[in-house]
Amino acid sequence: MYPPPPPAPHRDFISVTLSLGESYDNSKSRRRRSCWRKWKQLSRLQRNVILFLLAFLVLCAFLSYTHSSSQWKALGGSPTEGERLRVEVPRPKPANPPVLPAPQKADTNPEDVLTMLPQKPQKPVWRRPPRLQIRAPDIGSKDGTQGEALRNTRQEETPLRTVISWRGAVIEPEQGTEHPSKKAAGVPTPSLPAARTQKEPEFKEARTWVSTKLNFEKDVDVNLFESTIRILGGLLSTYHLSGDSLFLRKAEDFGNRLMPAFATPSKIPYSDVNIGTGVAHPPRWTSDSTVAEVTSIQLEFRELSRLTGNKKFQEAVENVTRHIHSLSGKKDGLVPMFINTHSGLFTHLGVFTLGARADSYYEYLLKQWIQGGKTETQLLEDYLVAIEGIKAHLLRRSEPGKLVFVGELAHGRFSAKMDHLVCFLPGTLALGVHHGLPTEHMELALALMETCYQMNHQMETGLSPEIAHFNTFSRPDLKDVIVKPADRHNLLRPETVESLFYLYRVTGDRKYQDWGWEILQSFNKYTRVRSGGYSSINNVQSTQKPEPRDKMESFFLGETLKYLYLLFSDDPDLLSLDHYVFNTEAHPLPIWSPV
Ligand code: DMJ
């Protein structure tokens, strides 16, 4: 609708009365004649001045009319075409705009889910698991202890750069904390000030213990990988979440004590090192190290270099990465399980698994690429090639349920055996998709997630065995998942719930929360110890005699319960995947900003 036309110009003239002493005649015709006569009697100048004043008054009247008319329309009238654009384009945002796709039904076609990516979950409507809305502490605490941490949040803003495009996936470097190669201007400090964390009584108690009791000056052998992912990773993560430099000092001390492990002829580290004497050595029976072990310490050592400014940690582990990148003996990106510390060559060639001894090699390719701000393309390429290798050589479907599983290859022979450890893979694939990798990866992630859930669900206790075998024959007497007596224990491992966490974060599909809730119920029912804690069990197929082992691995608290907690939270900013990358023991480390 357009504004009404302006009023027609006023055609009346101003009457200037000049009394000539005539008798009064107030008739209309006389008045008209008299006005016209008087107008004629005026000089040209007088007439022009009067006309100018009239025109000016008409213009003022017109402008004032159009202004009040548009104000009225803004209040209630219909907008003009131009006004519609101005009013409607920046629509007012709802207080909590939904950023996640609508929840999917359990039987949703995975390909439909793919079309929704990369959206994030909506607020919950209904679900059984508890709703957690606890956020990581806010930046900007007034607590004086946070000054150091706050400084770190005010780093120079680097413009984002697109660094790689792979199969149409445009991959942007993440904004994060400082890249190690920018290091020089002092030690970076935590990205997440955490005054609240520091005030928690549990934190205070733990801090006191670390400060007074955690002493690494001990004549004791530790496994390089296990202690890196647990102790070094845990200290670095705590430093970031608390802003307390005690944890960084401890991390640096511990990192220094691990360094002798790299003093080998090949620079491929030994499996063990004595943190008191500094003597490193391989296991007694071999000079080999495990491939997953030497390739899954990089996130932690790189971060230690970034924080301390001492490049030796990063150089040591990146030597290993480069060496393995160019080593022969791989099969389409798949790596053998062992590497010799003297020769630097793979050993036990021809055996390929995504399970024990190789698993986290694949996980850390992706996670280092993410940690480094998506700039280290060699890591990405190795990861992408490996996923293609998995698809080409290790994937099969079971019968009768057609579950997609990842088997093993030994000298060309396929084995339908899948460790529960392999269940990290759906989560890792989903994490990659979240960071821009091909959506085909998500199809595989969804299918494998279903399989891992079934590995739990089909057991009498609802808990997965350590190793599952899959039936690939069409025989009515056989189920999809077969468990051998030696493999039917459960060590409270995290991999299934770890992947459920990633799948939920990336798809927003509540069935993943429900599956996690089901598994938590099973842990409570069959592994919980009345007097406190949880225990590994010997038999996931017996509800009557699961046989607790009286042993709770530290990863149950460090990973399994943490991932369940995160799975049940509907806050995607709680340890956001855009700002943190979890090490293989579930300790969050910051993503660096691009160089
Ligand atoms: C954890 O210690 C790590 O995730 C490691 O990479 C292998 N798996 C165990 C827990 O199962």
Side-chain angles (χ1 to χ4, degrees):
M1 184 178 140
Y2 294 88
H10 212 280
R11 292 185 186 280
D12 285 352
F13 298 126
I14 290 178
S15 166
V16 179
T17 306
L18 299 173
S19 175
L20 299 172
E22 292 167 351
S23 62
Y24 180 70
D25 175 1
N26 201 27
S27 73
K28 262 189 188 169
S29 60
R30 185 182 182 282
R31 278 205 313 268
R32 226 178 277 131
R33 273 198 315 275
S34 146
C35 283
W36 181 243
R37 201 179 309 120
K38 283 168 188 161
W39 174 253
K40 287 292 220 181
Q41 287 168 352
L42 292 175
S43 70
R44 180 180 291 254
L45 177 66
Q46 283 173 316
R47 288 203 298 253
N48 283 344
V49 169
I50 290 166
L51 285 173
F52 175 79
L53 284 172
L54 276 172
F56 180 73
L57 285 173
V58 167
L59 184 68
C60 288
F62 174 72
L63 289 176
S64 121
Y65 170 81
T66 51
H67 177 68
S68 58
S69 157
S70 66
Q71 271 184 335
W72 177 85
K73 277 170 197 151
L75 287 170
S78 307
T80 63
E81 201 62 36
E83 284 166 347
R84 194 172 293 134
L85 285 173
R86 284 200 303 278
V87 171
E88 292 184 0
V89 171
R91 278 181 192 281
K93 287 183 187 154
N96 292 304
V99 284
L100 303 180
Q104 296 293 297
K105 293 199 182 107
D107 58 355
T108 303
N109 180 353
E111 287 179 16
D112 295 339
V113 177
L114 293 180
T115 63
M116 303 186 308
L117 296 170
Q119 299 174 65
K120 297 177 183 172
Q122 280 180 328
K123 293 276 176 209
V125 178
W126 167 90
R127 69 192 155 86
R128 281 166 287 168
R131 297 169 61 164
L132 304 177
Q133 291 291 350
I134 301 167
R135 278 168 173 270
D138 292 335
I139 290 173
S141 156
K142 288 180 184 161
D143 189 310
T145 61
Q146 297 307 306
E148 201 184 36
L150 279 170
R151 269 199 304 283
N152 193 50
T153 66
R154 295 193 197 114
Q155 290 168 7
E156 228 177 75
E157 278 193 18
T158 313
L160 286 181
R161 267 185 313 124
T162 301
V163 291
I164 190 168
S165 175
W166 193 86
R167 285 200 189 167
V170 177
I171 299 156
E172 304 281 359
E174 291 295 343
Q175 279 182 308
T177 47
E178 192 179 26
H179 194 278
S181 56
K182 274 175 133 185
K183 181 91 204 66
V187 176
T189 46
S191 55
L192 236 185
R196 212 166 62 196
T197 304
Q198 293 192 349
K199 285 178 191 148
E200 297 288 343
E202 293 81 8
F203 175 82
K204 282 185 179 166
E205 192 183 339
R207 188 199 185 280
T208 304
W209 184 86
V210 169
S211 162
T212 59
K213 299 270 168 41
L214 184 61
N215 172 19
F216 297 127
E217 188 55 50
K218 292 242 161 79
D219 181 1
V220 59
D221 278 354
V222 300
N223 174 284
L224 171 68
F225 162 74
E226 300 291 1
S227 54
T228 295
I229 64 172
R230 287 166 169 74
I231 301 169
L232 184 55
L235 288 168
L236 291 171
S237 192
T238 310
Y239 169 62
H240 277 290
L241 296 173
S242 69
D244 189 329
S245 58
L246 164 73
F247 298 99
L248 179 56
R249 288 200 302 276
K250 290 283 179 185
E252 187 173 11
D253 177 24
F254 193 62
N256 276 318
R257 292 168 187 275
L258 296 178
M259 284 304 284
F262 294 88
T264 69
S266 66
K267 298 198 177 149
I268 298 297
Y270 288 131
S271 60
D272 297 277
V273 56
N274 186 307
I275 53 171
T277 63
V279 176
H281 60 88
R284 238 171 267 138
W285 59 91
T286 177
S287 56
D288 287 354
S289 283
T290 295
V291 169
E293 291 191 1
V294 301
T295 55
S296 308
I297 49 181
Q298 278 69 6
L299 288 177
E300 298 81 358
F301 276 75
R302 280 155 48 111
E303 179 61 5
L304 186 57
S305 273
R306 191 181 74 88
L307 292 172
T308 60
N310 190 336
K311 292 216 160 44
K312 70 177 178 184
F313 305 111
Q314 180 166 12
E315 277 164 8
V317 292
E318 289 188 345
N319 247 332
V320 178
T321 307
R322 275 193 298 275
H323 180 85
I324 292 200
H325 169 76
S326 52
L327 203 54
S328 62
K330 289 184 226 158
K331 187 179 181 70
D332 293 336
L334 304 177
V335 288
M337 295 188 288
F338 297 99
I339 186 166
N340 190 272
T341 49
H342 295 302
S343 69
L345 300 175
F346 287 129
T347 64
H348 303 75
L349 295 177
V351 181
F352 302 101
T353 176
L354 259 283
R357 299 190 183 277
D359 50 359
S360 43
Y361 160 74
Y362 305 98
E363 178 187 345
Y364 266 38
L365 286 176
L366 177 75
K367 288 184 172 178
Q368 285 179 83
W369 175 70
I370 294 168
Q371 177 191 44
K374 304 182 191 174
T375 58
E376 298 152 290
T377 53
Q378 185 183 295
L379 293 164
L380 175 62
E381 292 298 332
D382 285 355
Y383 174 76
L384 293 171
V385 170
I387 300 303
E388 295 308 306
I390 293 167
K391 287 186 190 170
H393 303 294
L394 302 181
L395 289 188
R396 295 285 191 284
R397 278 189 188 273
S398 68
E399 294 293 342
K402 310 274 185 229
L403 296 172
V404 175
F405 66 94
V406 184
E408 298 183 352
L409 203 60
H411 312 293
R413 276 192 62 157
F414 181 81
S415 161
K417 163 183 176 279
M418 179 167 155
D419 293 353
H420 180 267
L421 286 169
V422 182
C423 288
F424 81 93
L425 187 57
T428 297
L429 289 166
L431 177 65
V433 173
H434 177 78
H435 283 282
L437 299 192
T439 50
E440 301 104 83
H441 287 199
M442 199 64 199
E443 290 168 39
L444 182 56
L446 297 171
L448 288 174
M449 191 72 262
E450 170 78 34
T451 303
C452 290
Y453 168 65
Q454 291 298 335
M455 283 166 64
N456 289 265
H457 184 69
Q458 292 188 14
M459 297 301 114
E460 284 75 357
T461 56
L463 295 172
S464 170
E466 176 71 358
I467 299 170
H469 287 76
F470 286 84
N471 167 44
T472 51
F473 303 102
S474 297
R475 275 178 36 187
D477 57 319
L478 291 179
K479 287 184 180 171
D480 289 84
V481 184
I482 301 162
V483 185
K484 297 191 174 175
D487 305 330
R488 62 189 185 194
H489 49 289
N490 180 295
L491 304 183
L492 312 173
R493 286 195 189 275
E495 289 77 16
T496 299
V497 296
E498 170 183 355
S499 284
L500 288 173
F501 156 67
Y502 284 110
L503 269 281
Y504 179 63
R505 275 276 171 107
V506 175
T507 69
D509 188 335
R510 298 198 180 286
K511 80 176 176 192
Y512 299 121
Q513 288 184 320
D514 291 340
W515 290 358
W517 184 247
E518 197 180 307
I519 291 169
L520 177 59
Q521 299 304 317
S522 297
F523 277 131
N524 280 333
K525 197 161 177 188
Y526 298 109
T527 72
R528 193 171 188 167
V529 179
R530 269 207 204 133
S531 52
Y534 290 72
S535 169
S536 302
I537 55 172
N538 280 335
N539 189 356
V540 294
Q541 294 181 301
S542 171
T543 54
Q544 295 308 308
K545 278 191 161 185
E547 293 178 26
R549 284 184 172 182
D550 195 17
K551 186 173 184 186
M552 185 176 83
E553 300 283 348
S554 70
F555 52 66
F556 181 67
L557 297 178
E559 292 193 76
T560 310
L561 291 187
K562 187 187 291 172
Y563 282 126
L564 282 165
Y565 182 90
L566 291 170
L567 168 65
F568 299 143
S569 166
D570 279 315
D571 183 357
D573 294 329
L574 178 60
L575 299 177
S576 160
L577 297 182
D578 295 322
H579 300 295
Y580 289 95
V581 61
F582 291 86
N583 84 341
T584 193
E585 199 67 10
H587 297 304
L589 297 173
I591 292 172
W592 307 334
S593 61
V595 189

